[in-house]
């Protein structure tokens, strides 16, 4: 589901991708398990240098994520429904060819998708198949801890504003679409943080919101939002709305 690029402190370029489509069924049918680490020094001839086989890296589903600022590679154990949210965190900053495991903990509660604050201090894990979003402090990746947990929000993927104070969630709740949350108290490490919804947007053709990508074009801020296939995940008719991408202006996040 994910292919990620990272350049470590020495200038080495690595790629990471998950090798398991549906754990463990796909492994039985011949897929190479785990998360693959590639040395991309010669991009015409990638060299696999490591295979990460800890629980979340064996079945990250859509949650594999890298922090460019923090030099961390992380995932929450997940599946198309959900799975025990074991969260694995690796340090890739010194030598991305050989990630170093920092922690493997059940702090995701249940897992499916993820997001990383741009400063690399907060990892967000979503349950997706049912409500549940968890913010995890990875400032000390060897000793992560839960900062905030909500059991009413149903998000798919998530991205965050450059300052980490806004979260852009692909909302799978009663009204599907885009939810913008004020997570500044989580980012500021306020005890018992309060998270509030800034705004919500939907559209007639919404199917299954997948994720969001913040972009800036000529000084204006946008989200690239994209949906999954059809509105019904298990069947399709010709009249069903189908997945697509759209550009959403967030100059005014309200």
């Amino acid at each position: 589901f994910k292919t990620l690029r990272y350049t470590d402190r020495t200038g080495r370029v690595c790629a990471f991708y998950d090798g398991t489509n549906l754990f463990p069924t796909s492994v039985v049918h011949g897929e190479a398990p785990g998360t693959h680490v590639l040395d991309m020094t010669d991009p015409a001839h990638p060299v696999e240098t490591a295979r990460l086989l800890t629980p979340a890296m064996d079945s990250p589903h859509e949650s594999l994520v890298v922090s460019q600022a923090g030099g961390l590679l992380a995932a929450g154990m997940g599946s198309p429904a959900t799975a025990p949210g074991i969260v694995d965190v690796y340090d890739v900053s010194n030598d991305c060819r050989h990630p170093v495991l920092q922690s493997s903990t059940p702090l995701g509660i249940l897992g499916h998708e993820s997001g990383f604050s741009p400063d690399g201090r907060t990892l967000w894990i979503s349950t997706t198949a049912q409500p549940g979003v968890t913010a995890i402090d990875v400032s000390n990746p060897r000793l992560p801890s839960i900062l905030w947990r909500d059991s009413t929000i149903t998000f798919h993927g998530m991205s965050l504003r450059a300052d980490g104070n806004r979260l852009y969630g692909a909302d799978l709740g009663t009204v599907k679409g885009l939810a913008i949350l004020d997570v500044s108290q989580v980012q500021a490490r306020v005890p018992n943080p309060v998270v509030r919804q800034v705004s919500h947007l939907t559209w007639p053709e919404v199917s299954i919101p997948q994720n969001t990508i913040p972009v800036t074009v000529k000084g204006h801020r946008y989200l690239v939002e994209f949906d999954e296939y059809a509105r019904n995940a298990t069947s399709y008719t010709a009249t069903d709305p189908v997945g697509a991408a759209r550009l959403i202006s967030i100059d005014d996040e309200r």
Side-chain angles (χ1 to χ4, degrees):
F1 290 101
K2 295 281 189 72
T3 302
L4 307 173
R5 176 188 177 127
Y6 177 75
T7 303
D8 67 22
R9 291 170 180 165
T10 70
R12 298 185 191 92
V13 179
C14 293
F16 313 107
Y17 74 92
D18 55 295
T20 310
N21 182 33
L22 181 60
F23 186 85
T25 307
S26 54
V27 176
V28 174
H29 290 114
E31 283 190 10
T35 293
H36 300 248
V37 181
L38 304 180
D39 180 354
M40 301 297 291
T41 301
D42 180 357
H45 300 93
V47 177
E48 184 171 0
T49 55
R51 185 85 59 84
L52 310 181
L53 299 172
T54 45
M57 294 297 172
D58 243 350
S59 185
H61 196 59
E62 296 164 342
S63 71
L64 190 67
V65 63
V66 66
S67 167
Q68 302 293 333
L72 298 176
L73 178 71
M77 188 176 183
S79 73
T82 191
I86 297 173
V87 174
D88 295 343
V89 182
Y90 285 78
D91 185 345
V92 294
S93 61
N94 291 316
D95 186 349
C96 60
R97 301 169 302 176
H98 303 287
V100 178
L101 179 64
Q102 302 297 293
S103 57
S104 185
T105 60
L107 297 181
I109 314 299
L110 294 168
H112 184 102
E113 250 274 26
S114 69
F116 233 135
S117 62
D119 63 9
R121 297 170 60 235
T122 311
L123 175 66
W124 296 80
I125 298 292
S126 60
T127 298
T128 300
Q130 63 188 57
V133 176
T134 307
I136 300 170
D137 186 349
V138 291
S139 300
N140 179 355
R142 295 184 178 181
L143 193 64
S145 61
I146 293 177
L147 293 165
W148 175 82
R149 165 81 179 170
D150 187 283
S151 299
T152 64
I153 298 172
T154 307
F155 281 172
H156 212 164
M158 299 164 285
S159 63
L160 288 104
R161 200 167 70 183
D163 60 8
N165 290 329
R166 293 289 185 274
L167 184 146
Y168 308 117
D171 192 353
L172 297 183
T174 304
V175 180
K176 295 178 174 61
L178 165 70
I180 300 181
L181 303 185
D182 179 347
V183 295
S184 56
Q185 291 193 15
V186 175
Q187 180 70 6
R189 301 301 191 259
V190 173
N192 302 312
V194 175
V195 171
R196 66 178 182 87
Q197 182 169 291
V198 176
S199 60
H200 191 280
L201 180 71
T202 190
W203 42 90
E205 306 84 1
V206 67
S207 60
I208 301 175
Q210 175 71 60
N211 213 331
T212 60
I213 304 172
V215 298
T216 300
V217 181
K218 296 182 179 179
H220 293 281
R221 296 189 303 117
Y222 301 92
L223 290 176
V224 178
E225 187 282 338
F226 48 98
D227 288 359
E228 272 193 72
Y229 40 89
R231 183 170 293 174
N232 189 330
T234 59
S235 64
Y236 172 73
T237 66
T239 58
D240 286 343
V242 295
R246 52 197 48 79
L247 199 63
I248 300 170
S249 170
I250 54 169
D251 277 341
D252 182 351
E253 293 180 336
R254 295 169 299 175

